[in-house]
Amino acid sequence: MNIEMLYTKRKWKILKCLLQELLRKNISESGGVTLFVLELKKLTRQKKISNCFFILIIAMILSLELTIFLQAQHRNQSLDNFQAYLQIFKKTAGTDSGTKKELKQRKKQYLALKENNGYQAQLLANDSMHLQNPWMSYSGESLMPNLHSGEAEATKKQLEYLKKNKIAANLPLTVVSNPMTELTNSIPADQLDFLAEIFKSSHTTGYGQIWFWASIGGAFILLAIINIFLGDILSIEWTDKTNHLAWMRLNGVRTSKLISLKFVVHYFTSLAVVSGATIVFLLYAKFRSGLGDLLYPVQNWHKGPNIVSQYSWGTASDDANFFSPFQIEFRPLSNYLLKFILFILVLLLLNSALTIAINYLIRNRIFSLSLMTFVPLLYFVIPQNTKTPFQFLNFDWLATGYLNYYYGTFDSLFGLTILTLIIIISAILLFVPIGLCLRKERKY
């Protein structure tokens, strides 16, 4: 019995040695796919992929739930403000037929907001925004003339787009603002309370949330979360208890090849995690609040002729042409989201290349991990109106054409040129550690 057990153990030991030799030969000769699988298994075993995936999903769902909660509060506040304004309007307005008609129109807008009827609300607002003294919801006539960077014309164009395409508006209805609104408005003191509410857009649908994240720099929060789990993907090989690099060298794997592999694993793992989390989020959003309409209008800046405003105040035409020779127009949300997908692909590429470069140059795991988590968050620290590299990574400005206006260029390929430069910078960042390793390997 003992002889049989010894024979069995010896047989398994021989088989184990053969398998190890086969694996070593496979790694040293072809190795790419095998190493890729091994790296994925290692990340899976460390639960980095699953943890990153679930954190992203939780963050996305919490964002949607918070938006829905705040939208309900915003709507209630708007109803209160609207009702208060109606009371004032009744007391101060005249009794002629025109005033009665306007009061009736305001009551209809109030009812549409109360019933959460976005389609009816945009039809009524469209009528009121085509008057010589335009108003929307509870804003009153005195608000619009004090917005000087094209907000009134932009709001009118947005409502025309919604009406033409039979799309329900996001409620509460808001004035279309832009990066210059805060700097150029001259709101009187009695309208300041309205100002706080009239620019708050609510995106409570699945596609709307992605639009919201894209517009506020959510991509950089995404990178920070990814880097919490994958920001030490290369530096861990130097600081981990097990010296993986020594094992790799014994099996004929060059450091330059390992760096290339780490980059590929980091990029495709990041892409897979982001894609998977987004799909799960959209499924959740579909049953929670709906996906939304991909034709919903998004503000864009493009070269166009000056317009003559129909509005009555003296600066109306100057306000409408504030961005001249650029004009504000509206394009479908689908166009914006397609650009965002391309931007994410390029941004993840830059993040992976920067992670590998930092990990190679700073071989301390904790320091490189902290640095890669902190760097994307600089986007929210550095002011957007200052010319920094982060300004070119402002996706909303890039996608809507506002960056063209900011730099005074009419080049329709300006955004594509910036993305191309980001890809080139990513290639340079990746070449630095690989080039240094190849140089060392040639010496030996």
Side-chain angles (χ1 to χ4, degrees):
M1 190 70 172
N2 290 334
I3 295 174
E4 288 181 3
M5 288 179 66
L6 288 171
Y7 176 74
T8 304
K9 286 181 179 180
R10 185 177 180 81
K11 184 171 69 174
W12 281 111
K13 189 174 182 180
I14 293 171
L15 182 60
K16 183 179 179 181
C17 290
L18 287 172
L19 287 172
Q20 286 178 341
E21 178 63 20
L22 183 63
L23 179 61
R24 187 198 66 78
K25 186 178 180 181
N26 189 23
I27 290 174
S28 61
E29 293 180 359
S30 58
V33 176
T34 304
L35 283 173
F36 183 82
V37 173
L38 288 173
E39 280 296 321
L40 286 180
K41 284 183 177 179
K42 184 166 72 174
L43 290 174
T44 304
R45 200 165 52 246
Q46 294 169 344
K47 296 185 178 180
K48 289 188 174 184
I49 296 176
S50 58
N51 289 342
C52 184
F53 179 73
F54 286 118
I55 290 294
L56 282 177
I57 292 173
I58 290 169
M60 290 175 176
I61 291 174
L62 284 177
S63 173
L64 177 63
E65 292 298 332
L66 180 62
T67 303
I68 292 172
F69 173 74
L70 293 176
Q71 190 261 0
Q73 286 194 323
H74 181 200
R75 180 170 161 271
N76 292 335
Q77 183 63 46
S78 299
L79 285 169
D80 292 341
N81 290 348
F82 205 161
Q83 195 169 31
Y85 185 81
L86 282 176
Q87 295 299 324
I88 296 171
F89 186 81
K90 286 178 183 178
K91 292 178 181 179
T92 57
T95 56
D96 58 280
S97 59
T99 303
K100 288 180 179 179
K101 182 180 179 181
E102 187 176 338
L103 180 60
K104 187 178 180 181
Q105 187 81 348
R106 290 178 185 274
K107 286 180 177 179
K108 285 182 179 178
Q109 284 202 19
Y110 173 80
L111 188 62
L113 179 59
K114 189 175 182 180
E115 294 175 348
N116 208 28
N117 189 336
Y119 184 71
Q120 183 66 14
Q122 62 91 352
L123 290 176
L124 293 166
N126 191 61
D127 292 337
S128 64
M129 283 300 296
H130 280 78
L131 300 172
Q132 283 193 326
N133 295 304
W135 55 272
M136 189 167 65
S137 298
Y138 50 85
S139 67
E141 293 85 348
S142 58
L143 178 64
M144 292 296 179
N146 292 284
L147 301 175
H148 302 297
S149 55
E151 295 88 354
E153 287 290 336
T155 303
K156 184 180 74 172
K157 287 179 182 178
Q158 184 196 53
L159 291 167
E160 288 173 347
Y161 180 104
L162 290 169
K163 183 178 180 180
K164 180 182 176 181
N165 292 281
K166 299 180 180 179
I167 300 171
N170 291 335
L171 293 178
L173 280 168
T174 56
V175 172
V176 178
S177 60
N178 59 65
M180 294 301 295
T181 297
E182 189 176 348
L183 301 175
T184 59
N185 72 71
S186 54
I187 305 299
D190 63 340
Q191 291 283 307
L192 289 177
D193 291 339
F194 294 137
L195 185 67
E197 299 295 324
I198 202 66
F199 295 125
K200 287 182 182 176
S201 298
S202 299
H203 304 281
T204 57
T205 61
Y207 298 138
Q209 271 291 287
I210 297 175
W211 175 17
F212 171 66
W213 300 333
S215 65
I216 65 167
F220 293 92
I221 297 175
L222 177 76
L223 293 186
I225 293 173
I226 290 172
N227 290 343
I228 288 172
F229 298 97
L230 301 178
D232 61 348
I233 192 167
L234 181 60
S235 60
I236 193 176
E237 303 296 350
W238 280 284
T239 55
D240 201 17
K241 291 179 181 178
T242 305
N243 192 339
H244 294 102
L245 291 179
W247 182 84
M248 290 286 186
R249 283 193 293 271
L250 287 172
N251 286 278
V253 179
R254 296 173 299 174
T255 307
S256 57
K257 184 176 181 180
L258 176 66
I259 291 171
S260 303
L261 172 74
K262 292 284 187 178
F263 168 76
V264 172
V265 170
H266 189 283
Y267 180 70
F268 283 101
T269 301
S270 302
L271 187 58
V273 168
V274 171
S275 302
T278 304
I279 291 170
V280 172
F281 165 74
L282 289 175
L283 287 171
Y284 175 85
K286 182 179 180 180
F287 295 101
R288 179 67 174 90
S289 56
L291 292 177
D293 199 322
L294 286 172
L295 290 177
Y296 204 87
V298 179
Q299 185 174 209
N300 281 263
W301 279 261
H302 291 277
K303 187 179 180 181
N306 284 1
I307 59 176
V308 179
S309 177
Q310 70 179 54
Y311 298 137
S312 61
W313 60 91
T315 61
S317 291
D318 291 336
D319 297 344
N321 297 299
F322 180 87
F323 296 102
S324 180
F326 287 85
Q327 291 292 341
I328 294 172
E329 62 179 45
F330 288 86
R331 294 188 175 181
L333 177 58
S334 57
N335 181 275
Y336 185 86
L337 294 183
L338 284 172
K339 290 179 182 177
F340 188 53
I341 291 171
L342 178 61
F343 178 76
I344 287 293
L345 291 173
V346 174
L347 193 63
L348 288 177
L349 187 73
L350 176 63
N351 184 60
S352 295
L354 184 62
T355 300
I356 296 302
I358 293 295
N359 276 225
Y360 181 79
L361 297 173
I362 305 172
R363 300 185 180 184
N364 182 286
R365 179 187 177 188
I366 301 299
F367 188 73
S368 58
L369 184 66
S370 302
L371 186 63
M372 286 311 304
T373 304
F374 174 72
V375 166
L377 300 179
L378 286 175
Y379 177 87
F380 302 99
V381 177
I382 300 173
Q384 290 300 303
N385 58 355
T386 57
K387 294 183 178 181
T388 65
F390 277 99
Q391 196 175 62
F392 294 99
L393 296 175
N394 184 327
F395 171 74
D396 193 61
W397 286 20
L398 196 65
T400 60
Y402 184 77
L403 205 60
N404 289 61
Y405 163 76
Y406 191 85
Y407 284 96
T409 175
F410 301 112
D411 185 4
S412 59
L413 298 177
F414 185 60
L416 190 60
T417 302
I418 291 174
L419 292 182
T420 304
L421 285 173
I422 294 172
I423 293 172
I424 293 171
I425 292 169
S426 302
I428 293 170
L429 287 171
L430 187 61
F431 177 76
V432 169
I434 293 177
L436 290 172
C437 286
L438 286 172
R439 187 178 178 182
K440 289 180 181 178
E441 288 164 3
R442 287 195 187 103
K443 289 181 180 181
Y444 300 101

